[in-house]
């Protein structure tokens, strides 16, 4: 099984590249952000709790995310693996993911780290906000999300480096150029 963690700051292209990987490699795609936005739209209890955190640019509690992920994995069928998009975001979440996968006889194969500088990220997110109307794509929330990313999430790269599972991917260029770098990496696995 090919289990990929797609990693990078908000706006680095994780969703776009995940869609390409999903279609090219027959992988399931679990985007915690998409799952949470669906819960918010449906006004579920999880959605109400999640909205409070998201509107402040904060990460949700690990237990909440892990429970959601475990249930989502149980619902998957014949995929050749999974792309984890937006999870894990902290070392405790990475350890929880290992436990969740280990009980299924699997493990994370690789962490693909899409690397994009902050100025480009802000530009991309503001543009996405204009096009999508996402409430979390405004200047104040973007700055908060980037601060959270750099302080709480970025250290996760070192965790996967220590396990020999980290690959840096230059996240600047056309969508196809970036996917070409990812495809080259996956073909070497």
């Amino acid at each position: 099984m090919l289990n990929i963690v797609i990693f990078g700051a908000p706006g680095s292209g994780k969703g776009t590249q995940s869609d390409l990987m999903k279609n090219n490699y027959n992988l399931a795609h679990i985007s915690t952000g998409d799952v949470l936005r669906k819960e918010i739209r449906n006004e579920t209890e999880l959605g109400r709790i999640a909205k409070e955190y998201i509107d402040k640019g904060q990460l949700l509690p690990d237990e909440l995310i892990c429970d959601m992920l475990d249930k989502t994995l149980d619902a998957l069928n014949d995929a050749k693996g999974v792309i984890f998009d937006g999870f894990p975001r902290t070392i405790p979440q990475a350890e929880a993911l290992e436990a969740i996968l280990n009980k299924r006889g699997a493990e994370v194969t690789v962490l693909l780290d899409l690397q994009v500088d902050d100025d480009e990220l802000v530009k991309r997110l503001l543009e996405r906000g204009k096009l999508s109307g996402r409430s979390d794509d405004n200047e104040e929330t973007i700055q908060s999300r980037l601060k959270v990313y750099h302080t709480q999430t970025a250290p996760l790269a070192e965790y996967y480096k220590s396990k020999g599972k980290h690959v840096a991917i230059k996240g600047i260029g056309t969508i196809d150029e970036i996917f070409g770098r990812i495809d080259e990496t996956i073909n070497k696995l």
Side-chain angles (χ1 to χ4, degrees):
M1 242 182 136
L2 185 63
N3 293 309
I4 298 170
V5 173
I6 185 95
F7 185 76
S12 61
K14 296 181 299 290
T16 300
Q17 295 302 324
S18 293
D19 285 343
L20 293 170
M21 286 188 289
K22 176 177 73 174
N23 295 330
N24 279 279
Y25 302 111
N26 191 29
L27 301 172
H29 175 220
I30 299 175
S31 165
T32 53
D34 289 348
V35 172
L36 291 171
R37 281 186 287 278
K38 181 180 177 187
E39 296 289 328
I40 291 168
R41 272 192 314 274
N42 293 335
E43 298 181 355
T44 66
E45 180 65 23
L46 172 60
R48 284 189 287 280
I49 294 167
K51 186 171 183 350
E52 291 177 24
Y53 285 92
I54 290 170
D55 285 349
K56 295 175 187 171
Q58 298 174 345
L59 299 180
L60 272 70
D62 291 348
E63 184 179 337
L64 197 63
I65 294 292
C66 291
D67 288 347
M68 180 190 70
L69 179 66
D70 208 13
K71 290 174 188 165
T72 303
L73 282 171
D74 285 342
L76 296 180
N77 293 324
D78 297 327
K80 293 182 179 178
V82 178
I83 303 162
F84 296 95
D85 175 357
F87 186 89
R89 289 191 176 182
T90 63
I91 291 171
Q93 285 182 0
E95 292 166 344
L97 178 59
E98 283 180 31
I100 289 167
L101 290 174
N102 286 342
K103 76 179 184 181
R104 291 169 170 82
E107 64 182 11
V108 169
T109 309
V110 67
L111 176 132
L112 300 176
D113 186 355
L114 295 176
Q115 300 186 332
V116 181
D117 66 69
D118 281 4
D119 290 340
E120 177 67 17
L121 293 169
V122 170
K123 186 173 106 179
R124 288 180 184 183
L125 290 168
L126 288 173
E127 187 61 30
R128 182 176 78 182
K130 289 177 194 172
L131 298 172
S132 71
R134 278 183 50 175
S135 64
D136 58 336
D137 285 341
N138 63 71
E139 185 78 37
E140 183 180 336
T141 305
I142 289 168
Q143 292 301 332
S144 176
R145 290 168 65 204
L146 288 175
K147 182 178 179 185
V148 168
Y149 172 78
H150 289 300
T151 59
Q152 296 180 34
T153 305
L156 194 58
E158 291 302 319
Y159 175 83
Y160 280 100
K161 282 179 187 175
S162 73
K163 296 184 169 295
K165 296 184 178 190
H166 175 274
V167 176
I169 303 288
K170 181 181 171 191
I172 300 289
T174 67
I175 291 169
D176 289 339
E177 288 170 342
I178 297 164
F179 182 71
R181 295 177 198 123
I182 290 171
D183 186 52
E184 185 179 320
T185 298
I186 290 174
N187 287 326
K188 291 178 184 175
L189 297 174

